[in-house]
Structures are given as C-alpha cells and as structure tokens.
C-alpha cells in the first residue's frame, strides 16, 4: 500500500547487525531450575504477592495481583514450588535489587486451570479489558506500561487510528521480525481484537496501520499475505517505512504514518491514536482466544560473544545465565552484557538477572563490537547533535544546562521531550555521553519535585500540629482557671463559720462542687464544638492514640 | 502662540496617560505572595532548627529581614540556589557552622528497647511517630522528615537515624562526571557501534 509517508527530523543509521540472529527459527528455551519473577515488571505500582514460601503452583496460576489501577498481575510461568520471596537482581540500570518471587520448577510444566477462551466479537469490551488485565499484559516493548490502561482511553478522546509498532528500529533486535515471519496469524488476530476494542459502538472500524521498517521485507510480505488470507485488506494495512533510527519511537512513528504531532507532554490518544507494540498484540491474542496469561515472550539473544545467536521463546523469570549458556556464551569474549538494544538498553553486571515482560533483547557484546567509552572531550559546537535529534531539540544546549545543573533553562529547552534515544551521543565527535547528562538532569528534576511535594506535606502537618498544640494549651489554661476559681469558692466557704448542722454545710458544699463541674462541662463542650471542624487528619489520628 | 498650544497639548496628553497608568496600576495590581511565604515555600520544612531558628518559617522571616541564605543544611545546595534566584542574591556555599548537607535519613526506633515514654512523640514536629504511653512506638517513614529532633529526648537511646534506602524507584543517574569517577562502564550504552558498516568505511 502506498501512503503519503512523512519524515521526522534527524535520525541516524547505525549498523544494523540484525542478520546475526535471524538465521535460525525461533526456539523454545529449556525450562530453567529456578525462575525469578520481580514484582515490579511494569510502570506503576508493584504487584502484591499472593503466594508464600513452600506453596506449590501450577503453570499459569496467579501468583501476584495488580495493586491499584496502573499495575499488572503476575502468573507462574511453569509448575513448581515457591522457594522464597526475597530481594534479587532486577534488570535496572541501578544494579539494585528488588522484591522477587522465586520458583523452583519441578520440570513437569503442568498447566493449572486455564481461563475460558473468549470469542471477542460476542463478548463485551469491558469483558475483554478485564481479561487483558487478568492476563497481566504490559507493553512487551519499551517501558512495560499496563496494556489494559492504554486500551481504555478516556471518553473525550475518540480513537480513529490504531498503530502497531513493528518498526523495531534498534540495531541487533529481531524479536518482532521473527514473530511476524513465523506467527503472523497470531499477530493479525491480536490486532483484530485490539481494533475491535477501540471501535466505538456503531462507528466505522478504526483504521489500523502496521508500521514496519523496510529492512524486514520477509516479515512485511508474510504479514501482507496473512492479511489477504483473512480478508482484512480494508481494515489492516502493512506500511513499509524507510529504515532510520529511531523510527520506532512512538511520536516519530506516528509522525511518519499520519503526519500528526503529539503535543508536548501529551499522549497519542490526544490526537486520536493508540500505539501498541507487536508483541503485545500476540499476548492479547493468547489471552483472549486461548485463555493464556502472559508467561512467556520472544527474546533475541545476540552479540558476538555468543556462538549461536537466535531468538528464543522464553518463560518470564528465566535467569539470563541459562539462556546465554543455551546459546553458547564464550565467557572470555564477553565485555558488556546489555538488556535491550545497544542504543537504549541498560548494561547489567549480574548474569542471574531474569527476563521480564519487557525484555526484548539480551546483547552479549565483545569489546570490538561495543568498545568501552572513549574519554569525553570538549564540545566543539559542531551542531551535529542537533541535526540528529529526532525530537528537534538542541542537545548541545541541554548538555550545558544539565552539566551546570541549570535545570530551569533545561526545562525551558524542553528537556522532558527528550526520548533518550541516544542519536546525539552516537554522532557527537567529542564522545560526550550526552544522554547520560539528560538522564541525570531528568532524575534530579524529578527528585526535586518529589522533595517539594514532600516538604509541602510536612509543612501542613507541622502547622496542623502547631494548631492542635495551641488549642490544647488554651484548653488547659481554661481548665486551670476554672479549678482555681472553684478552689477560691471553696476557700470562701471554708472561712464562713460552720452552721449548726453539718449536713447543711455539706449539702451547700456539694452544690458548689456540682455547679463548678457543670460549668466545666459546658465550657469544654463549647471548646470541642469549636475545635472539631478544624482538626486536621494528622491531629485527629493523634487524638485516637 | 503655537508654542503655547503645543505645550498645552503635551501637558494634556501627559495628564491623560498619567491618569490611565495610575488607574491601571491600581485596577490591575497583581497580588503577590508576601516574600516570607515565598521563602518558606522553598525551605525544606524539616523543622529541624539547624539554621538556629525554631523552625523553617522563623528562618524565612529572618531571611526576609536580611539574614544569610546559606544556613539550612537539609535544603543544601539546591535550596540556596533557589533562594538566590528568588531574592537576587549571590549563591554562597553552605555555612559549615550549621552542619553539612547529608544524604536523606529517617528515624528508626529499635522497637524492642522502646519503653513507651512518649517523649519522642512530643518532640516530633510533623507527628510522624505512632505509639501510646508504656507501649512500643514506631515511625511512619513516609511522614518522617529526618529532622533528628526525636533522637535526643529518648531516655533509652533507642532511636537512630538511618539513611533512606535506595530502591529502583527512587534511584536516578548521578552526574556523569561522578559516574566516570566510579568507573562504571555502563556509562554510555549508546556509544559507537563498531559493526560491519564502520569497518567497511574505515577500510
Ligand atoms: S555533537 Fe558533540 S561536539 Fe558537536 S555540538 Fe553536539 S555536543 Fe558539541
Ligand atoms: S537523546 Fe534526546 S536529545 Fe539526544 S537525540 Fe535523542 S531525543 Fe534528542
Ligand atoms: S535548617 Fe532548614 S529545615 Fe531545618 S529548620 Fe532551618 S530552614 Fe527548616
Ligand atoms: S520521627 Fe524524628 S526524625 Fe522523623 S520527623 Fe519526627 S522527630 Fe524528626
């Protein structure tokens, strides 16, 4: 199909190195002895573990539930025993550990109760959304945003276009490529379901575009054939786009395919578009049509430190070490191990880090392939970075502001629009790690924002406490005054010579005491009725103590 | 004659514009936060008193009256920067007399040793401690500002300040120059990829 394609600003052409891992078909990785499942595999709130040590779980069984709206469920990828729930290495640039469920597999790979397969055309959209949430699907490329949230756009945005991101623009990665070549039917059916869900009742079906870089002709052809076989030519179009990094960036792909620009700080739904990853479509198909939760994915194992680079269907939670061994890792050659691609991935040091839902690639690189960073030199203001930037930013300016911690200026130059694609770093002749400066600046800005909300909160609590203390002091003062008044009264009584009968004096004494008590109660009542509306949360909690 | 009329016209114009401007100044006055509030909003609200004042607001008042802007250790460099921007003053390093800028901490009560005296509750400016007389007390970490004020009053010394734990959620990259010093080779992932194309180019 020939569409008027637009170009985006900048972009680069790094060596692709894709044929490394496309020589053989997708293989199923062996089931490892131990699976490590981080509770945080997605953007949003950490999932909540539902199992405890020693429990026996079956394949596909729910082991952690979504906590909150932006969160996902987690399922046992194979049958086995929960060995522990502890901190373990997670794929994160910090190298810190996170809370993980560890399963010792019993190698039987026995399925538990599967979810009921659904016929997507017969059931309600809300039912489908619920299924996608139950199946724990989070974006299979990129940051891992919970899919059910993305497919539930707010009412004011009418979705007219569904874009399936099959650009796979980063060097080395071929997981989506192989998926399209080998499982095109699942891909297309998954897309059908997603398109169906976005279709407003009684409206035309949404336009559905699969954006694919023209360096994957085989995959594109297979998809086109499948589309024809299923008679979907009018609904789904496969669009070949020129190969250029980072055409797979969400905003960039939207611009290429539709010419629309997503506003600063906005989301694609603002311009009537939903963008989904190709792998996610397959996961949706499996969840809806087969009733299988997201427990495995296709991951590319590549790099010249591997003897047999290839694509593997791996269980979520498989430690990378076992996969590397399966692909013939040559330990001496290994220099840098990267999760994700060479442009945007993160380097990890621990081979026991597990595969998570968004791990599309493991790159075991040699030092010739990805040399260690060259020392940085001064910026020569050549402007090449600005030419390469796909977000049309001024990387060189941003670099100065980030370096000197002038964050206000960096923000004014739209630092937050930077997609951290690394194109600027790639072209910089002075080897300045530009992206690192932006990452640092963004982190610092976010931390400062967090501090501000926190200090605002602390101030409120402090003021509430001051207020409460003042009230308490006033109350005490009032009580003290009353007591002294009562005491005086009693003294006066005492000075008056006693009457003939004792009972009389007693009763009078009593009357005075009762009077004083009544007064006290009354004044207290007044105080509290004045107080209550102003008592803030904090002090209310304290009063309960 | 023409000179007189020219002067008169100019005079009239001046009066009209003066009146318009004067009216606009009153009518469209922007009500700004008093400066003390603005300063107070920048201060970290830890209420620790390290600045020598009994809390952040008194210090904000003191700054408004001309005190130095570098006396708040919990705020540190970034607070000084912001204050300098707001007040048009020079950025100066933190006054070492008041202490140094340290990483964030939270209080931790060794619960087994707590005798339930409630002294720490009385000291905490933000009500971050839960407990009752003669019962164990504990800190609500999310509310604790790390001000240190509960440590001294404790008669059995069971409160300590521990650094706030770094997690994958609150972690972020350090300044690249520091990362270089730490010799983290993961510094530049997106560096040159020496693939076939490059080698061909070189050849
Ligand atoms: S490419 Fe590098 S040297 Fe050139 S202007 Fe940008 S930062 Fe400076
Ligand atoms: S990393 Fe950011 S600044 Fe650099 S090219 Fe990409 S979007 Fe532009
Ligand atoms: S040193 Fe800073 S945080 Fe502590 S009371 Fe003074 S202004 Fe507030
Ligand atoms: S718990 Fe202690 S350190 Fe934390 S805010 Fe209260 S008094 Fe300060």
């Amino acid at each position: 199909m020939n569409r008027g394609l637009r170009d985006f600003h900048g972009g680069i052409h790094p060596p692709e190195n894709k044929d490394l891992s496309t020589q053989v078909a997708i293989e199923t990785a062996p089931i490892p002895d131990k699976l490590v499942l981080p509770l945080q595999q997605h953007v949003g709130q950490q999932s909540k573990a539902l199992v405890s040590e020693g429990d026996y779980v079956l394949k596909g069984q729910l082991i952690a539930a979504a906590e909150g709206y932006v969160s996902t469920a987690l399922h046992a990828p194979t049958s086995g025993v929960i060995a522990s729930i502890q901190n373990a290495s997670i794929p994160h640039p910090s190298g810190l550990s996170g809370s993980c469920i560890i399963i010792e597999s019993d190698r039987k790979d026995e399925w538990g109760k599967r979810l009921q397969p659904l016929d997507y055309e017969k059931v309600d959209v809300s039912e489908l959304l619920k299924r996608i949430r139950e199946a724990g699907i989070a974006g299979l490329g990129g940051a891992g945003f919970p899919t059910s949230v993305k497919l539930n756009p707010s009412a004011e945005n009418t979705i007219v276009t569904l874009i399936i991101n099959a650009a796979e623009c980063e060097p080395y990665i071929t997981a989506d490529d192989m998926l399209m070549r080998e499982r095109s039917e699942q891909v297309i059916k998954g897309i059908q379901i997603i398109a169906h869900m976005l279709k407003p009742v009684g409206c035309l079906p949404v336009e559905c575009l699969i954006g694919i870089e023209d360096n994957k002709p085989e995959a594109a052809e297979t998809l086109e054939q499948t589309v024809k076989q299923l008679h979907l030519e009018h609904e789904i179009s496969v669009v070949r786009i020129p190969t250029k990094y980072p055409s797979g960036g969400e905003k960039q792909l939207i611009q290429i395919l539709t010419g629309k620009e997503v506003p600063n700080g906005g989301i694609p739904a603002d311009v009537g578009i939903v963008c989904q990853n190709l792998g996610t479509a397959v996961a949706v198909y499996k969840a809806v049509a087969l009733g299988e939760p997201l427990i495995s994915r296709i991951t590319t194992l590549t790099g010249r430190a591997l003897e047999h680079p290839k694509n593997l269907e791996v269980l979520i939670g498989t430690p990378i070490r076992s996969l590397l061994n399966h692909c013939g890792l040559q330990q001496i050659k290994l220099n840098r191990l990267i999760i994700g691609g060479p442009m945007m991935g993160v380097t990890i040091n621990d081979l026991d880090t597990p595969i998570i839902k968004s791990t599309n690639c493991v790159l075991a690189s040699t030092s010739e392939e990805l040399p260690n960073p060259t020392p940085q030199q001064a910026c020569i203001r050549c402007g090449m970075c600005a030419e390469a930037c796909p977000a049309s930013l001024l990387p060189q300016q941003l670099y100065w502001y980030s370096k000197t911690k002038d964050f206000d200026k960096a923000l004014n130059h739209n630092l937050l629009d930077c997609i951290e694609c690394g194109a600027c770093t790639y072209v910089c002749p002075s080897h300045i790690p530009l992206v690192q400066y932006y990452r640092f600046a963004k982190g610092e800005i976010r931390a400062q924002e967090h501090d501000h909300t926190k200090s605002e909160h602390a101030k409120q609590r402090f003021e509430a406490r001051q207020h409460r203390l003042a009230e308490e002091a006033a109350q005490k003062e009032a009580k003290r005054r009353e007591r002294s008044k009562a005491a005086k009264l009693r003294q006066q009584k005492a000075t008056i010579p006693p009457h003939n009968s004792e009972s009389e004096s007693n009763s009078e004494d009593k009357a005075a005491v009762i009077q004083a008590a009544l007064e006290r109660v009354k004044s207290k009542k007044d105080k509290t009725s004045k107080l209550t509306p102003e008592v803030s949360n904090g002090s209310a909690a304290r009063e309960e103590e | 004659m023409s000179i007189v009329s020219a002067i008169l016209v100019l005079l009239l114009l001046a009066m009209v514009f003066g009146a318009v401007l004067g009216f606009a100044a009153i009518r469209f006055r922007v009500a700004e936060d008093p400066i003390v509030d603005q300063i107070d909003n920048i201060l970290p609200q830890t209420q620790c008193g390290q600045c020598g004042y009994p809390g952040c607001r008194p210090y904000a008042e003191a700054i408004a009256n001309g005190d130095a802007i570098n006396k708040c250790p919990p705020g540190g460099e970034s607070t000084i920067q912001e204050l300098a921007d707001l007040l048009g003053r020079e950025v100066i390093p933190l006054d070492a007399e008041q202490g140094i800028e340290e990483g964030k901490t939270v209080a931790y009560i060794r619960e087994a040793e707590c005798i339930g005296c409630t002294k720490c509750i009385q000291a905490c400016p933000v009500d971050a401690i839960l407990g009752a007389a003669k019962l164990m007390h504990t800190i609500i970490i999310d509310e604790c500002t790390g001000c240190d004020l509960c440590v001294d009053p404790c008669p059995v010394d069971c409160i300590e300040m521990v650094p706030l734990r770094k997690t994958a959620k609150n972690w972020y990259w350090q300044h690249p120059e520091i990362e270089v010093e730490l010799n983290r080779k993961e510094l530049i992932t997106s560096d040159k990829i020496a693939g076939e194309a490059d080698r061909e180019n070189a050849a």
Side-chain angles (χ1 to χ4, degrees):
Chain A
M1 185 168 168
N2 209 358
R3 304 176 55 89
L5 293 180
R6 279 54 156 215
D7 195 11
F8 63 91
H9 177 268
I12 51 169
H13 296 275
E16 288 169 16
N17 288 310
K18 292 212 185 228
D19 39 9
L20 226 58
S21 52
T22 53
Q23 305 305 324
V24 290
I26 300 176
E27 263 177 42
T28 307
I31 299 170
D33 302 330
K34 196 181 83 177
L35 291 114
V36 183
L37 294 139
L39 286 171
Q40 179 92 56
Q41 304 213 0
H42 49 265
V43 176
Q45 247 174 306
Q46 180 168 312
S47 324
K48 188 165 161 262
L50 298 177
V51 287
S52 44
E53 216 176 301
D55 287 359
Y56 182 76
V57 291
L58 289 167
K59 185 173 181 148
Q61 185 179 331
L62 184 70
I63 53 173
E67 179 122 291
Y69 183 54
V70 186
S71 183
T72 61
L74 193 60
H75 303 79
T78 186
S79 56
V81 178
I82 307 288
S84 58
I85 298 174
Q86 63 175 69
N87 272 354
S89 284
I90 50 169
H92 192 270
S94 63
L96 290 167
S97 54
S99 170
C100 299
I101 298 179
I102 297 180
I103 300 180
E104 231 160 78
S105 73
D106 63 0
R107 298 191 169 278
K108 287 192 202 126
D109 205 28
E110 197 179 323
W111 267 97
K113 212 174 117 237
R114 289 195 210 207
L115 296 164
Q116 184 71 31
L118 298 174
D119 184 348
Y120 75 92
E121 280 172 313
K122 299 226 174 81
V123 299
D124 208 44
V125 169
S126 62
E127 187 84 5
L128 292 172
L129 270 177
K130 195 173 139 237
R131 167 59 56 89
I132 287 173
R133 196 172 156 76
E134 273 171 356
I137 301 179
L140 265 73
F145 197 77
T147 304
S148 59
V149 179
K150 231 175 159 182
L151 289 180
N152 195 11
S154 60
E156 61 254 37
N157 296 323
T158 330
I159 303 300
V160 290
T161 314
L162 167 65
I163 289 181
I164 299 295
N165 190 344
E168 204 164 49
C169 59
E170 217 175 322
Y172 286 98
I173 310 177
T174 57
D176 287 350
D177 186 4
M178 295 308 284
L179 197 58
M180 286 185 279
R181 288 195 209 182
E182 296 188 16
R183 303 183 187 175
S184 61
E185 208 177 308
Q186 293 187 354
V187 172
I188 300 292
K189 285 187 172 159
I191 295 173
Q192 254 185 307
I193 298 174
I194 297 177
H196 174 80
M197 290 174 66
L198 293 171
K199 180 170 68 184
V201 189
C203 279
L204 289 169
V206 281
E207 181 189 27
C208 201
L209 307 173
I210 307 176
I212 173 167
E213 274 193 348
D214 57 12
N215 60 358
K216 295 184 265 292
E218 211 177 307
E221 253 159 54
T222 323
L223 275 192
E224 270 165 357
Q225 267 164 25
T226 316
V227 170
K228 236 176 245 157
Q229 271 166 22
L230 297 169
H231 306 293
L232 293 167
E233 293 100 320
H234 301 297
E235 283 150 53
I236 301 176
S237 20
V238 180
V239 189
R240 286 164 221 235
I241 58 173
T243 300
K244 178 164 90 168
Y245 180 84
S247 64
E250 201 169 62
K251 290 187 178 181
Q252 281 67 35
L253 188 63
I254 289 173
Q255 201 177 350
I256 295 172
L257 291 175
T258 67
K260 289 185 191 164
E261 274 191 49
V262 181
N264 279 7
I267 54 167
D270 296 340
V271 289
I273 294 173
V274 163
C275 211
Q276 283 292 344
N277 178 274
L278 186 96
T280 313
V282 174
V284 166
Y285 166 75
K286 284 190 177 167
V288 174
L290 309 179
E292 280 178 23
L294 178 56
I295 50 171
S296 69
R297 64 157 298 137
I298 312 291
T299 298
T300 307
L301 274 110
T302 185
R304 291 190 171 76
L306 295 181
E307 247 172 285
H308 314 289
K310 60 184 128 191
N311 280 282
L312 289 175
E313 167 140 32
V314 297
L315 296 178
I316 308 292
T318 309
I320 282 167
R321 186 191 300 277
S322 78
L323 298 175
L324 290 174
N325 289 340
H326 181 74
C327 294
L329 172 71
Q330 291 158 299
Q331 189 75 48
I332 346 159
K333 281 199 188 166
L334 178 67
N335 178 45
R336 236 194 299 175
L337 186 63
I338 294 171
I339 289 192
M343 303 298 292
M344 296 178 78
V346 294
T347 305
I348 53 159
N349 294 317
D350 187 353
L351 288 189
D352 288 320
T353 309
I355 297 283
I356 60 170
K357 289 173 183 173
S358 57
T359 314
N360 51 3
C361 181
V362 177
L363 173 56
S365 66
T366 63
S367 52
E368 289 91 55
E369 245 181 323
L370 291 182
N372 287 339
T374 339
Q376 131 180 23
Q377 277 153 3
C379 168
I380 54 169
R381 298 178 183 273
C382 63
M384 280 164 83
C385 47
E387 252 165 62
C389 178
S392 309
L393 303 175
L394 295 170
Q396 170 204 354
Q397 303 293 335
L398 290 176
Y399 158 64
W400 281 111
Y401 299 141
S402 305
K403 189 183 161 91
T404 54
K405 304 190 185 171
D406 195 344
F407 300 128
D408 283 340
K409 287 230 183 69
L411 285 175
N412 282 341
H413 280 74
N414 297 324
L415 173 69
L416 296 186
D417 280 351
C418 165
I419 56 170
E420 298 179 25
C421 67
C424 49
T425 311
Y426 183 77
V427 297
C428 176
S430 297
H431 305 287
I432 303 174
L434 295 164
V435 200
Q436 296 298 331
Y437 282 95
Y438 311 149
R439 286 177 174 164
F440 154 72
K442 283 184 184 176
E444 193 88 346
I445 288 167
R446 242 173 273 134
Q448 275 183 13
E449 258 167 30
H450 179 254
D451 283 356
H452 268 261
T453 42
K454 210 172 164 193
S455 73
E456 192 52 40
H457 182 72
K459 190 169 150 192
Q460 274 169 15
R461 282 183 75 90
F462 177 64
E463 275 162 8
R465 178 186 155 94
Q466 295 297 83
H467 183 78
R468 196 192 71 234
L469 290 182
E471 289 283 358
E472 272 173 13
Q475 232 168 333
K476 252 187 217 156
E477 178 62 25
K479 256 191 216 159
R480 197 188 56 76
R481 236 181 276 140
E482 251 167 54
R483 235 179 285 129
S484 70
K485 215 163 88 192
K488 245 184 228 154
L489 216 70
R490 225 176 295 134
Q491 232 169 27
Q492 271 174 14
K493 292 260 163 69
T495 48
I496 295 169
H499 283 268
N500 314 348
S501 74
E502 243 186 55
S503 65
E504 212 181 344
S505 94
N506 247 353
S507 68
E508 229 184 86
D509 230 12
K510 257 183 207 156
V513 171
I514 290 169
Q515 183 60 29
L518 274 178
E519 258 167 43
R520 220 179 307 141
V521 168
K522 192 167 160 248
S523 74
K524 204 173 174 184
K525 249 190 202 153
D526 283 349
K527 280 272 156 46
T528 39
S529 64
K530 249 185 268 155
L531 231 180
T532 22
E534 283 154 343
V535 174
S536 84
N537 258 349
S539 40
R542 272 295 301 277
E543 256 146 31
E544 275 165 30
E545 286 161 25
Chain B
M1 187 58 207
S2 63
I3 291 181
V4 176
S5 64
I7 289 176
L8 279 179
V9 167
L10 279 179
L11 216 62
L12 195 73
L13 277 177
M15 272 157 67
V16 168
F17 283 124
V20 168
L21 284 177
F23 173 72
I26 296 164
R27 179 71 181 72
F28 302 111
R29 165 175 282 140
V30 182
E32 266 198 25
D33 266 3
I35 192 75
V36 174
D37 278 341
Q38 286 182 42
I39 298 174
D40 197 26
N41 282 340
I42 292 175
L43 294 175
Q45 306 300 327
T46 308
Q47 318 294 358
C48 62
Q50 286 181 73
C51 49
Y53 295 92
C56 298
R57 184 141 190 116
Y59 180 43
E61 277 157 15
I63 293 178
N65 292 329
D67 198 354
I69 56 173
N70 63 342
K71 293 188 172 175
C72 172
E77 205 184 314
S78 61
T79 298
I80 295 174
Q81 176 83 45
E82 276 179 73
L83 286 172
D85 285 349
L86 175 70
L87 302 166
R89 293 201 205 164
E90 196 104 345
V91 176
I92 37 178
L94 191 67
D95 191 342
E97 228 174 80
Q98 329 294 340
I100 44 164
E101 185 176 1
E102 285 163 0
K104 294 215 176 61
T105 55
V106 285
Y108 170 71
I109 297 182
R110 288 191 299 274
E111 288 163 2
E113 291 163 45
C114 173
I115 53 169
C117 66
T118 74
K119 288 224 160 67
C120 53
I121 292 192
Q122 291 158 33
C124 179
V126 291
D127 289 333
I129 305 180
L130 268 180
K134 302 219 176 92
L135 291 172
M136 181 197 80
H137 287 38
T138 196
I139 310 268
I140 311 169
I141 291 183
D142 285 341
E143 304 293 359
C144 174
T145 61
C147 70
D148 215 2
L149 293 180
C150 52
V151 175
D152 273 348
C154 178
V156 291
D157 274 340
C158 72
I159 307 182
E160 59 186 318
M161 301 305 292
V162 294
L164 196 60
R165 211 164 63 90
K166 274 259 171 257
T167 64
K169 269 231 158 130
N170 64 18
W171 175 92
Y172 62 90
W173 292 94
Q174 280 181 290
H175 198 285
E177 275 149 32
I178 301 172
E179 303 266 358
V180 167
E181 266 169 43
L182 295 177
N183 197 16
R184 285 176 52 136
K185 68 178 176 183
E186 53 269 60
L187 186 57
I188 319 169
T189 309
S190 49
D191 203 15
K192 312 288 171 282
I193 308 162
E196 278 84 4
D198 279 13
R199 272 189 227 125
E200 270 164 28
N201 287 349

